[in-house]
Amino acid sequence: MADDMRGVVGYALLPKKQQSFIQDSLLSLCKSRGIDLVRIDQDRRLIDQGPFDCVLHKMYGDDWRKQLEEFQIQNPNSTIIDSPVSIQRLHNRISMLQAVSELKIESGADTFGIPKQIVIYDKETLFDRQSWEFLKYPVIAKPLIADGSAKSHKMALVFNHEGLNKLKPPIVLQEFVNHGGVIFKVYVVGEFVKCVKRKSLPDVSEEKLKSLEGSLPFSQISNLTSDERNDDKYYKLMDLEETELPPQSFITDIARGLRRGLKLNLFNFDVIRDARIGNRYLVIDINYFPGYAKMPGYETVLTDFFCDVVGKKSLGEEKEKGGVEKLQVVRNCDVDLTKIASVMSMALVAVIHVEGSLITKICIDIEENVGLLC
Ligand SMILES: Nc1ncnc2c1ncn2[C@@H]1O[C@H](COP(=O)(O)OP(=O)(O)OP(=O)(O)O)[C@@H](O)[C@H]1O
Ligand SMILES: O=P(O)(O)O[C@H]1[C@H](OP(=O)(O)O)[C@@H](OP(=O)(O)O)[C@@H](O)[C@@H](O)[C@@H]1OP(=O)(O)O
Ligand SMILES: [Mg+2]
Ligand SMILES: [Mg+2]
């Protein structure tokens, strides 16, 4: 995209998301940086609209997926954020967390993983305690499907056998891990990673467990405002301010690994710190296109990202002119970039972005990840 042209990002979001995400502050910052955010009219076919340099969406269903496919064929230079196939993986709580188990990251003292869990498809297996004897009470029951519906957020903390009665398979039974009542939400926007603290479910001691009856249903606990919590005295006991964040480089490594593994640019994941093993972290949930507006300074982060996607230089890139100049030398020397790639690794592929006579960006990535933004 030439510098004097504006970038157009079309967005297709549900009304609630549109209201929270498309704020005037975001629109005006984008505008000042040469990006127009344009609402996609969901009553008309996508291919009849545009042109869009980028289609930003959080919409599901076969029809929408087909529309995106048609659009991509007709507009091969446009970028869809993100691919429906990649998003789909997050709609199942098992395949979602498999991405964490597949990560290979060298970490020092800090370790990470996922809680012990099992998928239960029928009541028979649910009441057959032997089939999930490796899980101790309390357990969390989560709907297997995480498709954004209110139903998919309805959870239950189950304290004993009696608490199983109200559960409706298919569900995931997951070990409840005491974590000091604080959850870490890690927001990812392309290369950007931000970790924040939120209140979570309080710890359940062995002592307390004996006196608890059945199960406790709950929904979107970390999104509740204090007015919405029935028992705020209880939550006030946990001081968010005193809780230390996990090491930033450790979290960034997990975030970048997940981004590659999932082939997604816009997501967040929930992390808890295992109270039994202080430096063990567990990823318990991954969400596509979460509530970024809750992140301080979200306008700048998202505007930088859109600039990157549509090929406009972000402020950061402009400052790093040295990098671009180096690429120019490579080009002027007439070096075959595929040769450079092969020197680095046989599996590397280079994608070069050219603006006028300048190489403005070079994306080098392993082959399977070409198409993912660098
Ligand atoms: N294994 C676990 N151990 C302890 N607490 C947990 C565990 N799993 C979930 N929780 C608590 O339950 C909450 C809801 O669980 P989860 O994040 O999986 O649900 P969700 O509906 O997908 O949430 P979101 O609104 O983030 O999409 C978490 O934020 C955390 O407070
Ligand atoms: O707005 P949406 O409907 O997309 O809701 C998302 C919500 O964002 P919001 O804050 O804008 O409500 C997210 O909150 P944070 O993790 O960022 O706290 C998280 O709960 C997602 O799981 C929800 O997506 P869903 O799983 O339901 O698709
Ligand atoms: Mg969550
Ligand atoms: Mg979730």
Side-chain angles (χ1 to χ4, degrees):
M1 197 187 71
D3 260 336
D4 54 348
M5 278 167 65
R6 298 187 65 80
V8 184
V9 175
Y11 61 85
L13 303 170
L14 290 174
K16 174 178 160 271
K17 193 72 171 176
Q18 187 174 310
Q19 205 184 7
S20 66
F21 184 77
I22 307 292
Q23 294 187 11
D24 288 348
S25 51
L26 177 68
L27 290 172
S28 58
L29 186 61
C30 277
K31 199 167 176 195
S32 73
R33 299 271 299 278
I35 305 279
D36 293 323
L37 290 182
V38 177
R39 193 176 74 84
I40 291 168
D41 181 353
Q42 284 160 38
D43 294 331
R44 289 165 54 211
R45 305 294 294 171
L46 180 59
I47 40 166
D48 298 333
Q49 301 178 61
F52 302 122
D53 297 294
C54 167
V55 172
L56 178 73
H57 73 111
K58 187 173 180 177
M59 301 289 296
Y60 310 123
D62 290 345
D63 179 60
W64 176 245
R65 206 183 344 226
K66 277 199 199 102
Q67 290 204 47
L68 286 174
E69 276 165 19
E70 276 170 21
F71 179 85
Q72 188 72 94
I73 292 166
Q74 286 210 1
N75 303 275
N77 293 328
S78 179
T79 309
I80 291 172
I81 303 287
D82 277 307
S83 126
V85 177
S86 303
I87 299 171
Q88 189 69 31
R89 181 169 184 181
L90 300 187
H91 286 180
N92 177 303
R93 292 188 191 272
I94 297 292
S95 55
M96 168 206 281
L97 293 190
Q98 245 155 20
V100 179
S101 308
E102 285 162 12
L103 281 184
K104 288 193 181 47
I105 292 172
E106 297 247 337
S107 56
D110 304 300
T111 63
F112 71 95
I114 61 171
K116 286 183 203 153
Q117 59 177 16
I118 185 173
V119 57
I120 304 273
Y121 290 102
D122 52 65
K123 288 242 174 192
E124 202 187 330
T125 319
L126 180 63
F127 290 106
D128 172 17
R129 189 66 183 88
Q130 267 192 344
S131 59
W132 49 280
E133 63 185 352
F134 62 96
L135 292 178
K136 282 206 302 195
Y137 288 112
V139 291
I140 291 208
K142 306 184 179 190
L144 173 62
I145 303 304
D147 58 1
S149 61
K151 201 172 125 196
S152 72
H153 290 292
K154 283 198 171 132
M155 322 249 140
L157 188 51
V158 183
F159 305 114
N160 52 40
H161 195 76
E162 186 201 322
L164 301 176
N165 289 314
K166 289 189 193 146
L167 305 182
K168 293 194 182 82
I171 51 170
V172 172
L173 285 184
Q174 197 173 78
E175 129 188 74
F176 175 83
V177 178
N178 282 338
H179 55 281
V182 177
I183 192 171
F184 306 106
K185 280 208 171 252
V186 183
Y187 288 88
V188 179
V189 182
E191 280 287 285
F192 176 88
V193 179
K194 172 83 185 165
C195 181
V196 300
K197 292 179 267 187
R198 294 269 184 83
K199 291 190 177 179
S200 178
L201 292 174
D203 290 352
V204 180
S205 65
E206 297 259 348
E207 235 351 80
K208 200 154 80 181
L209 183 62
K210 287 182 205 149
S211 64
L212 292 164
E213 279 173 22
S215 63
L216 173 77
F218 68 94
S219 182
Q220 294 205 289
I221 201 90
S222 60
N223 266 351
L224 299 185
T225 62
S226 45
D227 292 348
E228 288 164 326
R229 282 184 216 118
N230 307 331
D231 189 1
D232 213 37
K233 265 185 271 152
Y234 181 60
Y235 284 93
K236 277 190 187 126
L237 290 175
M238 291 159 306
D239 198 346
L240 274 188
E241 304 234 321
E242 276 171 24
T243 304
E244 226 182 281
L245 283 170
Q248 175 70 29
S249 63
F250 174 66
I251 287 295
T252 302
D253 284 351
I254 298 176
R256 301 244 159 103
L258 283 177
R259 181 178 172 231
R260 276 171 181 261
L262 292 165
K263 299 191 170 70
L264 288 174
N265 288 289
L266 301 180
F267 64 97
N268 76 359
F269 55 100
D270 297 342
V271 180
I272 55 176
R273 179 159 45 216
D274 191 332
R276 296 164 299 190
I277 318 160
N279 52 6
R280 171 120 183 114
Y281 293 88
L282 301 167
V283 178
I284 54 167
D285 184 30
I286 311 177
N287 303 302
Y288 183 62
F289 201 151
Y292 287 117
K294 284 178 270 179
M295 197 173 71
Y298 92 103
E299 297 91 338
T300 315
V301 175
L302 270 301
T303 305
D304 282 350
F305 175 70
F306 296 144
C307 285
D308 223 19
V309 174
V310 306
K312 286 221 160 236
K313 269 174 257 152
S314 69
L315 288 178
E317 269 180 298
E318 270 164 17
K319 277 190 220 131
E320 280 172 27
K321 267 247 154 82
V324 173
E325 274 160 16
K326 257 189 234 151
L327 292 178
Q328 258 185 286
V329 175
V330 168
R331 184 172 174 269
N332 293 342
C333 293
D334 224 12
V335 175
D336 180 353
L337 281 158
T338 53
K339 275 192 197 143
I340 298 176
S342 67
V343 171
M344 294 171 79
S345 155
M346 291 304 286
L348 284 175
V349 170
V351 180
I352 306 136
H353 293 249
V354 182
E355 277 180 24
S357 61
L358 287 183
I359 297 181
T360 54
K361 191 159 92 174
I362 181 164
C363 303
I364 299 177
D365 210 338
I366 52 171
E367 205 158 11
E368 59 175 13
N369 280 334
V370 166
L372 185 79
L373 289 155
C374 299

